[in-house]
Amino acid sequence: AQTVTQSQPEMSVQEAETVTLSCTYDTSESDYYLFWYKQPPSRQMILVIRQEAYKQQNATENRFSVNFQKAAKSFSLKISDSQLGDAAMYFCAYRTLNNDMRFGAGTRLTVKP
Amino acid sequence: GAVVSQHPSWVICKSGTSVKIECRSLDFQATTMFWYRQFPKQSLMLMATSNEGSKATYEQGVEKDKFLINHASLTLSTLTVTSAHPEDSSFYICSARVSGGINEQYFGPGTRLTVT
């Protein structure tokens, strides 16, 4: 079974600084997708960034980037120039093309002004 | 992007009653919908997967007779919590998948259920 592990229950960052959230996963598949979702207090799941496993290049979306290490099964999220609005729960997720999405336990990010 | 709605956004019901939650894909057809449950400060746990016109597939430990799922059309899935009890109080999130390409999955805003 595929599992997703987020080892950091809570993280804190100073506004304008950079923070990295960790995620590892376990799978025997070669083709899959990895995601980072943000869940603010409204509880709406917001897609932050997506990585296709067959792509070697790390995905980037403005201030958000990932470090995808396929051999190590690691998928960390880097948030640069942190803003107060980045404060939320962040979930790492995995799925294959036709299967459901599986989530890690989440990391609560606090941004200090 | 595609929009998934849920109704109601919150509901309070008395113990022993049933409550229905609707999930709709507003601008796309979803052959597959997923229902998740999220307890406070915890992750999303998949309850069941439903395909249009077929019976839902439930995850281990989820009571299919208690959580009735109907996926009657390509834009609507419903979750009915039957004979609700206080321990069923939780946040329920649906998700709909678009067929084609990478089969993108979109999430609804969730429904907060409180059973008194």
Side-chain angles (χ1 to χ4, degrees), chain B residues 7-110:
Chain B
H7 179 80
S9 56
W10 61 271
V11 58
I12 302 173
C13 71
K14 292 187 176 181
S15 186
T17 63
S18 297
V19 61
K20 180 185 288 187
I21 302 170
E22 291 187 349
C23 175
R24 294 181 183 273
S25 55
L26 297 186
D27 48 4
F28 66 97
Q29 292 185 330
T31 54
T32 304
M33 289 188 174
F34 307 91
W35 286 95
Y36 294 85
R37 183 174 182 176
Q38 186 180 30
F39 289 108
K41 299 185 178 181
Q42 293 189 23
S43 186
L44 284 72
M45 298 301 296
L46 181 68
M47 298 175 65
T49 301
S50 73
N51 291 293
E52 186 264 337
S54 302
K55 288 185 178 180
T57 301
Y58 291 81
E59 293 297 298
Q60 191 173 7
V62 177
E63 299 175 61
K64 60 181 66 176
D65 294 331
K66 182 170 188 59
F67 299 99
L68 301 179
I69 292 173
N70 185 292
H71 192 163
S73 76
L74 289 173
T75 59
L76 173 65
S77 177
T78 60
L79 168 67
T80 301
V81 183
T82 63
S83 186
H85 287 94
E87 56 265 30
D88 299 324
S89 298
S90 187
F91 195 69
Y92 293 86
I93 301 175
C94 76
S95 180
R97 187 166 72 194
V98 177
S99 295
I102 67 166
N103 292 350
E104 190 71 74
Q105 191 168 331
Y106 299 94
F107 288 85

Side-chain angles (χ1 to χ4, degrees), chain A residues 25-88:
Chain A
Y25 58 95
D26 184 29
T27 184
S28 58
E29 303 288 338
S30 59
D31 196 14
Y32 49 88
Y33 303 90
L34 296 164
F35 307 82
W36 279 97
Y37 279 90
K38 172 184 178 181
Q39 189 180 43
S42 68
R43 308 291 287 272
Q44 172 74 59
M45 297 291 283
I46 301 169
L47 177 63
V48 175
I49 201 165
R50 177 201 305 115
Q51 175 81 43
E52 289 92 338
Y54 65 85
K55 290 186 177 179
Q56 293 185 344
Q57 187 172 4
N58 289 325
T60 299
E61 287 288 340
N62 300 312
R63 298 183 294 107
F64 300 88
S65 61
V66 298
N67 183 1
F68 173 47
Q69 301 290 326
K70 190 172 185 179
K73 296 181 182 176
S74 170
F75 182 61
S76 61
L77 174 70
K78 185 172 79 172
I79 305 175
S80 304
D81 186 24
S82 297
Q83 300 175 1
L84 295 178
D86 294 335

